[in-house]
Amino acid sequence: MELPGLAFAVWMFICFYASVDGYPSGKIREACTSMIPCHGSSPQLSPEHAITVNGTEFKPGDNIEVHLSGPDFEGFFIQARDAEHLDSPAVGSFMLVDRRLSQLLTCGRTKNSAVSHTSKAKKKYIKVYWIAPGDAPKHVQFLATVVKKYKTFWVKIPGPIVSQPNAPSPTTPLHATSEAISTSHPVSYLSKPFNASGCGSMKFCIRNPSNCDPESASCFFLSFQQEKSSVFIEMSGPSEGYLAFALSHDQWMGGDDAYLCVNEDHHVHVSTAHLKGRNPVLDSENALEDVSWRLVDGVLQCSFRRSIRLPAYKWRFNLDGSYYIFLADGEANEGGLIYKHHRQPLITNGIYNVTGLPQDIGGSRSPRLMKAHGALMFVAWITTVSIGVIVARFFKPVWSHSFLFGKEMWFQVHRMLMLTTVMLTSISFVLPFIYRGGWSQQAGFHPYLGCTVMALTIFQPLMAGFRPSRHAPRRQLFNWFHWSTGTTARILAVVTMFLGMDLPALDLPDPWDTYTMIGFVAWHVGIDVLLEIHSYCLVRKVEVIEDDRVQILQSLTSAEAEGRLFKQIVLTIYVCGNIVFLTAFLAAINQI
């Protein structure tokens, strides 16, 4: 018989609450209705285990001895149901023989109406007693689900029918339910990799990097080709664990229609799922046809066909609608259990109808707001603040006699660069909150340090507004606070950028990002040390111990001219170097 759609819906719903590892403790009340373990694969067709009883008739209150036996198995689930209405609730109650191997469960309103295992320990034989209730139907059939191992199980293995005395024969004969619920289609092996021919003209394609060749070992590829009332789908990418794509109404994971190709012991299992929050709840693959796969040199490929509309399946979206499309990859264990993807999924920049006009598009693993956040922070803390600090520290004597808008040039340049830093940091600071809609619990220390940097960035110009006059007694104290606050902010900003570069929402290429940031820090410290050494040597040079005051002044004037030229050359080189580092980071952000 066929398993009703309601049972599938209930099963998929309860899977979210069940552990992804199944039910090793045997407490499987969530599966009372469907008797299907949430193991993400289809049941086997031909049962290896058998249910036997010690009689064929019963009267209310009788005890029927029930046996389950066969090759080694880890888990089991036994119920008795109305033989003419097998989708009805469990009937009667059970009594245990060996509490080490079995335990009683309550399904629905009937206490002790099911029996299950107590652990994953292997067993060959289970014996229990079924107690017939006073309101028992005329015919009762015993059913069992048996789990040999995680991915190998049989659902609703039919057992004997026991009847009340003089009851007429059942009107509905029982078929093997394991065959009825498993409508999986044959799976074949792909003989050659996919290709991009027809992308944008005959089929809708998503490629990352853009325009990459799906035969390449670094290309993520997803295509949709409409064929009458169905769509043929191809998916490939570098992964030895799993590949998955999802259709979503927004750019957030949750409530989405997902499809997974999972490497299980060098065989690829293709299944459908729906996303409860960030967690995929696997279900039967019987909505998919023409399933094929290939796993060669670390590249996983799978293809399948599904109907454009599947009204019988609650969680399947209509393919003639418009959706954001996610493409993710990650690791899976030998049993096919998938782990969270280690980087941000590829997400299309807009909503698309895969059965509409064929297109050949790319996507991004980083949302635009997060890209803007990273870019503005790099501009602020790699260029404007670094150059501003160098100018204030080493160019006072060089530009002390040059004025801009009524103030010394070094001061105006320094103030302009620092105010630009405050503006860029403030704009960048709010972007993650707009994107996340609040505080992120997934970003570790990065947001905490970012808030500290933002606070110091605002405090620094406010403190500068109350700067004492040059010869005031508190000027030295102000200088010390101003320097220490700025230095602390710069150090924390660099640490925060180090942490932020590898977060999933940005995730710059690793280890390139770390080495490049280390290179920038070394570049800045090197220039700073060079200018400090130069200033020290300049001071030593003008300390000419002579009695002739004119000679001292001449030496000082010559040294100042020489120092001015050297510092201007170093500043030019420094600015160019910072622009090179900034360009490298911005180019990397643009590529993700």
Side-chain angles (χ1 to χ4, degrees), residues 189-470:
Y189 186 80
L190 293 167
S191 59
K192 59 182 180 180
F194 302 140
N195 60 72
S197 62
C199 285
S201 58
M202 298 176 60
K203 56 187 180 182
F204 186 99
C205 297
I206 301 172
R207 293 191 270 177
N208 180 252
S210 297
N211 300 316
C212 66
D213 185 350
E215 297 187 30
S216 166
S218 60
C219 181
F220 288 91
F221 177 77
L222 178 64
S223 72
F224 303 83
Q225 185 169 7
Q226 183 176 357
E227 299 174 355
K228 296 182 180 180
S229 61
S230 66
V231 174
F232 186 69
I233 300 169
E234 299 174 325
M235 178 166 55
S236 71
S239 176
E240 295 189 356
Y242 72 90
L243 289 176
F245 80 89
L247 306 176
S248 177
H249 295 291
D250 52 39
Q251 292 185 297
W252 296 99
M253 295 177 66
D256 306 327
D257 179 10
Y259 302 81
L260 299 92
C261 298
V262 184
N263 178 11
E264 302 177 11
D265 299 325
H266 304 290
H267 286 75
V268 177
H269 177 75
V270 182
S271 61
T272 56
H274 66 280
L275 298 183
K276 285 285 189 177
R278 293 177 175 268
N279 302 311
V281 179
L282 303 179
D283 47 62
S284 172
E285 66 180 46
N286 59 5
L288 308 180
E289 303 175 359
D290 299 340
V291 176
S292 299
W293 61 271
R294 186 172 186 263
L295 186 60
V296 177
D297 296 331
V299 176
L300 190 157
Q301 296 184 317
C302 62
S303 64
F304 53 88
R305 183 189 313 278
R306 63 148 284 190
S307 298
I308 294 177
R309 292 177 175 267
L310 291 168
Y313 299 89
K314 178 180 178 181
W315 303 105
R316 303 284 75 79
F317 293 179
N318 295 332
L319 294 183
D320 53 2
S322 295
Y323 311 100
Y324 289 97
I325 304 172
F326 291 62
L327 181 58
D329 66 291
E331 297 179 355
N333 67 11
E334 293 181 357
L337 177 65
I338 66 173
Y339 299 101
K340 180 182 177 182
H341 43 79
H342 55 82
R343 58 175 174 171
Q344 188 86 351
L346 181 75
I347 307 174
T348 57
N349 293 322
I351 57 175
Y352 293 92
N353 181 351
V354 297
T355 61
L357 183 67
Q359 297 187 56
D360 188 4
I361 64 172
S364 174
R365 294 189 182 274
S366 179
R368 291 177 178 175
L369 286 176
M370 299 309 295
K371 283 186 174 184
H373 168 73
L376 291 176
M377 285 300 187
F378 280 130
V379 172
W381 296 94
I382 285 183
T383 54
T384 57
V385 76
S386 300
I387 297 171
V389 168
I390 292 289
V391 167
R393 183 163 180 79
F394 298 105
F395 280 79
K396 286 182 184 179
V398 176
W399 292 342
S400 60
H401 303 296
S402 300
F403 292 87
L404 184 65
F405 302 116
K407 295 283 187 178
E408 293 175 334
M409 180 178 289
W410 74 265
F411 177 76
Q412 293 287 47
V413 171
H414 172 74
R415 181 164 62 177
M416 177 188 67
L417 291 172
M418 291 308 178
L419 290 177
T420 301
T421 300
V422 174
M423 180 186 67
L424 293 176
T425 304
S426 300
I427 295 173
S428 178
F429 178 78
V430 301
L431 296 182
F433 291 97
I434 296 174
Y435 171 67
R436 291 289 183 185
W439 186 265
S440 173
Q441 301 294 336
Q442 311 296 326
F445 289 105
H446 179 77
Y448 297 97
L449 291 175
C451 289
T452 304
V453 171
M454 184 72 252
L456 294 174
T457 302
I458 296 297
F459 178 70
Q460 187 76 329
L462 291 178
M463 181 171 57
F466 296 94
R467 179 178 63 254
S469 61
R470 181 171 299 179

